[in-house]
Amino acid sequence: MDLEFSPEEIAFRDEVRTFIAENYPAQLRGKQDEGDELTKEDFLSWHRVLAKKGWVAPAWPVEYGGTGWTVTQRFIFSEETARADCIRLMPFGLTMVGPVIYTFGTPEQKAHYLPRILSGEDWWCQGYSEPGSGSDLASLRTKAERDGDHYVVNGQKTWTTMAQHADWGFFLVRTDPDAKMQEGISFLLIDMKSPGIEVRPIITLGGEHEVNEVFLDNVKVPVSNRVYEENKGWTCAKFLLAHERVGIAGVASSKRGIEKVKEIAATEIDGDKPLLANPFYRRKVAELEMDLTALEFTELRTLAGEAAGKGPGPESSVLKIKGSEIQQRLTELALEAAGHYGAPYFRGFGEGDNEHPIGPDWAHRTAPSYYNMRKTTIYGGSNEIQRNIIAKMVLGL
Ligand SMILES: Cc1cc2nc3c(=O)[nH]c(=O)nc-3n(C[C@H](O)[C@H](O)[C@H](O)COP(=O)(O)OP(=O)(O)OC[C@H]3O[C@@H](n4cnc5c(N)ncnc54)[C@H](O)[C@@H]3O)c2cc1C
């Protein structure tokens, strides 16, 4: 693997760096620096800047609005956005349902939904998991019964991230109760403003409203909102999950995370020396950095495979496991650096709190982030399930 960037790639990197420096929304930077919770508008503000530039969906085919960048350019772009601490774009439209629609959708579905995903006009959520159907997703029970030119959907979804903001959701529903589990499922696009949909918040350990329960009570969905064939939705579901897992590795943002931890540990005093001089802490940072470098090369190999026309396969499970573990270890190191200053903010620093946080400015986010990041080994298919996939599909056990 040639790891040196060419002069053209360096010029591209500089172009991206300058663009971010000149266009990243100032109010967003301010909120991130303060550790404030971000609103829908905040997330959309960066999305819109990239959409206007034509850079919001680098991996999409050019005909649907992608950039046509090489794999290396895509890598540089994600490195630069992480390096500049840009927020991550919401994945539900851009990296989940978008690719499903341009791969399996009808010409009408492509023409309608894809431009709205790119512009940020539609905010999407993912209605896969149900109470009792998470890892064993194919056991899902939300049912859709055909009634003329529409389906009537009844059931419950759970853990639906950011559904409180969503205009649309992509849902897995059972359309044939008599078929074998995977064979009776369809993939529906549902307008979240449809009568019969109720979204209820679930507040997580860190005090955040990020996930929800979604109840569907006789929701009417036009048959034209089904992607791909009836009862063949599992094909779309699996395709989407493999794409989801690659993005989940979060290599570029973890690299930035390590830099931050090192900056903190270089200034925080432990006894009479900086924390980074403590051999036990230093060793943990070094081990994490080595694991991250190894993960980065694994991701580069996957990207190189993609460039050669190979879709993400079971190896994406390795990226998911290692990437999520590293994300968690990073928050553990940050919380360890904060020590007792992390403790008063286990439930976050709420909106409207007008006290100045005690301790260093960065410390009040460490406990909520530590709790929040416990999710990474659960969502996107839990790490135990990824290990099962590796055992079966990669190792042939
Ligand atoms: C923060 C967060 C956000 C999420 N967002 C969404 C979303 O937007 N949309 C959505 O549809 N879902 C979402 N999910 C749901 C997520 O996909 C599920 O939580 C996940 O698939 C695990 O399912 P479960 O919670 O039902 O746990 P279970 O499947 O009940 O698993 C419980 C435990 O048993 C283990 N386990 C289960 N089966 C096996 C097995 N065969 N072998 C070994 N171990 C096993 C699991 O690894 C886990 O540790 C989100 C979850 C979280 C935590």
Side-chain angles (χ1 to χ4, degrees):
M1 236 185 322
D2 180 6
L3 297 173
E4 292 295 320
F5 289 141
S6 67
E8 294 75 28
E9 286 161 350
I10 290 172
F12 174 74
R13 185 194 66 192
D14 293 343
E15 184 191 349
V16 173
R17 208 171 271 186
T18 309
F19 179 79
I20 295 171
E22 290 173 358
N23 294 284
Y24 193 72
Q27 101 286 352
L28 197 50
R29 175 74 65 220
K31 281 186 128 178
Q32 283 173 269
D33 290 345
E34 290 297 315
D36 292 346
E37 214 167 301
L38 301 181
T39 62
K40 179 177 184 177
E41 261 315 298
D42 292 328
F43 282 110
L44 283 175
S45 62
W46 178 224
H47 181 118
R48 290 196 193 107
V49 169
L50 288 174
K52 195 159 159 235
K53 178 77 175 164
W55 284 1
V56 80
W60 287 24
V62 175
E63 58 181 310
Y64 300 121
T67 53
W69 289 340
T70 61
V71 165
T72 311
Q73 284 176 306
R74 273 162 48 194
F75 174 75
I76 291 172
F77 182 71
S78 64
E79 284 271 300
E80 288 304 313
T81 47
R83 186 180 157 275
D85 225 356
C86 303
I87 53 163
R88 285 186 77 178
L89 299 176
M90 281 292 133
F92 305 105
L94 292 170
T95 52
M96 295 191 189
V97 76
V100 167
I101 292 174
Y102 65 65
T103 307
F104 299 100
T106 61
E108 294 74 26
Q109 288 170 339
K110 292 179 196 176
H112 179 74
Y113 295 108
L114 297 179
R116 297 166 67 97
I117 293 173
L118 291 176
S119 67
E121 193 168 344
D122 290 337
W123 179 294
W124 285 82
C125 66
Q126 177 186 28
Y128 273 29
S129 306
E130 297 180 5
S133 300
S135 303
D136 185 17
L137 186 59
S139 69
L140 61 90
R141 283 172 303 171
T142 293
K143 62 176 181 192
E145 290 163 305
R146 186 81 176 249
D147 182 8
D149 61 357
H150 60 265
Y151 292 103
V152 179
V153 183
N154 281 287
Q156 183 194 342
K157 297 290 173 179
T158 192
W159 307 120
T160 326
T161 303
M162 297 285 171
Q164 72 269 34
H165 300 316
D167 304 295
W168 284 83
F170 51 94
F171 285 78
L172 291 180
V173 295
R174 186 158 300 286
T175 32
D176 183 353
D178 301 322
K180 273 204 287 179
M181 287 215 300
Q182 281 90 342
E183 287 166 18
I185 291 172
S186 298
F187 191 100
L188 292 187
L189 310 178
I190 303 186
D191 183 344
M192 292 298 284
K193 286 180 275 311
S194 310
I197 293 194
E198 190 191 343
V199 177
R200 292 188 202 158
I202 301 173
I203 304 301
T204 49
L205 268 175
E208 290 128 341
H209 178 194
E210 189 174 300
V211 284
N212 302 273
E213 295 177 291
V214 176
F215 295 85
L216 301 108
D217 180 17
N218 285 324
V219 178
K220 277 177 78 171
V221 181
V223 170
S224 56
N225 287 17
R226 191 192 67 231
V227 179
Y228 203 47
E229 293 167 43
E230 190 171 76
N231 300 324
K232 294 274 192 295
W234 195 248
T235 305
C236 306
K238 275 193 311 188
F239 169 89
L240 184 148
L241 286 173
H243 278 256
E244 181 182 350
R245 269 170 219 145
V246 179
I248 268 177
V251 171
S253 68
S254 288
K255 278 171 81 177
R256 175 71 192 118
I258 284 214
E259 289 314 313
K260 274 192 190 162
V261 162
K262 285 197 319 203
E263 281 162 27
I264 288 170
T267 48
E268 281 309 300
I269 300 299
D270 170 43
D272 55 355
K273 291 200 188 93
L275 180 58
L276 204 53
N278 173 325
F280 296 105
Y281 193 85
R282 194 181 176 82
R283 184 193 172 102
K284 285 188 224 171
V285 174
E287 281 173 349
L288 189 56
E289 208 160 12
M290 284 188 284
D291 284 354
L292 183 56
T293 306
L295 179 67
E296 185 177 11
F297 284 108
T298 310
E299 188 176 53
L300 285 171
R301 273 207 311 276
T302 311
L303 289 175
E306 240 185 272
K310 263 178 60 189
E315 16 356 303
S316 62
S317 298
V318 178
L319 294 176
K320 201 273 160 164
I321 293 174
K322 295 305 287 182
S324 55
E325 289 175 352
I326 287 171
Q327 285 167 326
Q328 293 188 342
R329 281 161 64 194
L330 267 171
T331 62
E332 286 157 23
L333 283 178
L335 187 58
E336 194 177 330
H340 53 273
Y341 288 126
Y345 303 104
F346 277 176
R347 295 285 295 174
F349 194 65
E351 206 174 313
D353 288 357
N354 59 5
E355 290 168 51
H356 191 71
I358 59 160
D361 278 353
W362 50 269
H364 70 279
R365 283 295 309 153
T366 53
S369 302
Y370 169 83
Y371 284 127
N372 188 285
M373 282 291 129
R374 300 305 99 191
K375 69 189 175 188
T376 62
T377 45
I378 303 171
Y379 67 17
S382 76
N383 284 19
E384 289 77 19
I385 295 297
Q386 301 313 317
R387 289 192 177 90
N388 287 350
I389 294 173
I390 293 169
K392 205 165 146 194
M393 311 290 287
V394 182
L395 304 175
L397 298 174

